[in-house]
Amino acid sequence: MNLNEVRSKIAKLLRLQTSNNAGEAANAAAFVEKLCVKYNVSSTDCEGYDPEKDEVVEFQIGKAYRKANVPEQNLIHGVTKYFNGQTIITYVQSNSMYYEPPKRVMNVIASKGNKLQIELYFDYLVETMNKLADEAKKSGGYGTARSTYKTNWKKGFSKKIADRLLAMKNEQKRNGKPELNEPALVVLNRNSIEQKATLAFLDEQYPNRTKSRRTRHSGIGYADGSTKAESIGLNKQTGASQQTLALTGN
């Protein structure tokens, strides 16, 4: 299989994994890594891999915008950090012959070996978030009639998922990745090398950048989305996954 065929197969397996349980979104981080190992598409898991020699690349993720899509940006930031990358917001000029204010875009800086995993996991999470938000909106529960309910729900969901990814990463620093047979020392060493490389790239390409402030959001629906994300298991197997591939070794 070529890379596009492998990518399509992994994406299909991810969606098959949630066909019976759409709430398993956070499991995708470990699942994506396992699938990439299985199909040998991630250089981080190839025999003889040297993270110090892995190329760092910059790529756009998500659409250009004038008004930020906060839920998607929360997910991009969380996924990128999980895979040892950095995010940067830049401007893109319009090609129109008439003046239009520039749009912004979120770019990801990460090792080439992690690029595919970031893209697959982000696409999967966005699809799952939208599906669950639609279900919540149609449930008829408190506040669902408000026009802002679904947007607030997504904000709560995406923020909690990002927080849980950080917690899972911290857990891996202590216990490694049993599902990939990687002890904590190996995980820590690779994390350190990849993080230093992506930060060095960021500093070289954007030396005068400023930090953006991340404001906390709330509103009717936010707590519902956050609660849904909190109830998602990070390291458990499901009946659906046992029929395809196990999510973790636990």
Side-chain angles (χ1 to χ4, degrees):
M1 289 188 293
N2 61 37
L3 182 59
N4 287 334
E5 290 173 331
V6 170
R7 184 189 184 102
S8 177
K9 187 173 183 68
I10 291 175
K12 183 178 179 179
L13 286 171
L14 281 170
R15 282 146 185 81
L16 178 64
Q17 136 71 19
T18 57
S19 62
N20 295 326
N21 185 355
E24 291 295 328
N27 277 324
F31 197 47
V32 163
E33 289 183 274
K34 288 199 69 168
L35 290 172
C36 285
V37 172
K38 179 178 176 65
Y39 294 104
N40 197 31
V41 295
S42 173
S43 63
T44 59
D45 298 298
C46 294
E47 185 178 354
Y49 168 72
D50 183 353
E52 292 184 316
K53 295 181 180 179
D54 195 7
E55 180 184 358
V56 175
V57 295
E58 179 177 357
F59 56 97
Q60 178 181 328
I61 192 163
K63 298 178 181 179
Y65 63 90
R66 290 195 176 93
K67 182 179 180 181
N69 186 322
V70 175
E72 288 194 6
Q73 288 195 349
N74 285 342
L75 292 178
I76 292 170
H77 188 71
V79 171
T80 300
K81 287 296 182 184
Y82 179 84
F83 288 107
N84 299 318
Q86 300 282 339
T87 57
I88 183 77
I89 295 175
T90 63
Y91 289 90
V92 291
Q93 298 294 331
S94 170
N95 292 325
S96 172
M97 61 182 294
Y98 303 103
Y99 173 76
E100 293 180 356
K103 292 183 177 181
R104 288 175 291 175
V105 67
M106 180 170 277
N107 284 357
V108 168
I109 296 169
S111 70
K112 193 172 183 179
N114 286 333
K115 179 178 183 290
L116 177 62
Q117 298 184 89
I118 292 171
E119 291 174 330
L120 283 169
Y121 188 23
F122 170 70
D123 288 344
Y124 170 87
L125 277 180
V126 169
E127 182 178 312
T128 303
M129 176 179 69
N130 289 337
K131 178 179 180 179
L132 295 176
D134 287 341
E135 291 176 359
K137 176 72 174 177
K138 294 176 183 177
S139 70
Y142 172 72
T144 54
R146 292 175 179 257
S147 60
T148 57
Y149 177 86
K150 192 159 68 171
T151 297
N152 290 334
W153 191 99
K154 291 180 182 179
K155 289 176 180 177
F157 179 89
S158 60
K159 180 63 170 62
K160 181 61 69 174
I161 288 292
D163 289 345
R164 296 195 71 192
L165 282 172
L166 177 60
M168 187 163 73
K169 192 169 185 65
N170 289 333
E171 177 68 17
Q172 291 169 354
K173 292 177 182 178
R174 295 187 292 270
N175 298 318
K177 298 179 181 180
E179 69 277 8
L180 298 179
N181 297 316
E182 290 184 359
L185 187 60
V186 172
V187 173
L188 283 169
N189 183 58
R190 185 167 68 233
N191 284 351
S192 176
I193 292 172
E194 290 180 346
Q195 288 164 356
K196 287 179 180 178
T198 55
L199 183 57
F201 184 101
L202 182 67
D203 287 339
E204 180 179 353
Q205 297 297 319
Y206 302 98
N208 299 317
R209 67 187 183 277
T210 58
K211 285 189 175 183
S212 60
R213 296 182 60 185
R214 293 182 178 273
T215 56
R216 297 193 66 85
H217 300 274
S218 58
I220 302 299
Y222 186 96
D224 291 347
S226 181
T227 299
K228 183 65 176 179
E230 182 64 41
S231 69
I232 290 170
L234 288 174
N235 292 301
K236 68 180 182 180
Q237 295 177 337
T238 66
S241 65
Q242 289 172 354
Q243 299 304 314
T244 54
L245 293 175
L247 296 180
T248 71
N250 295 329

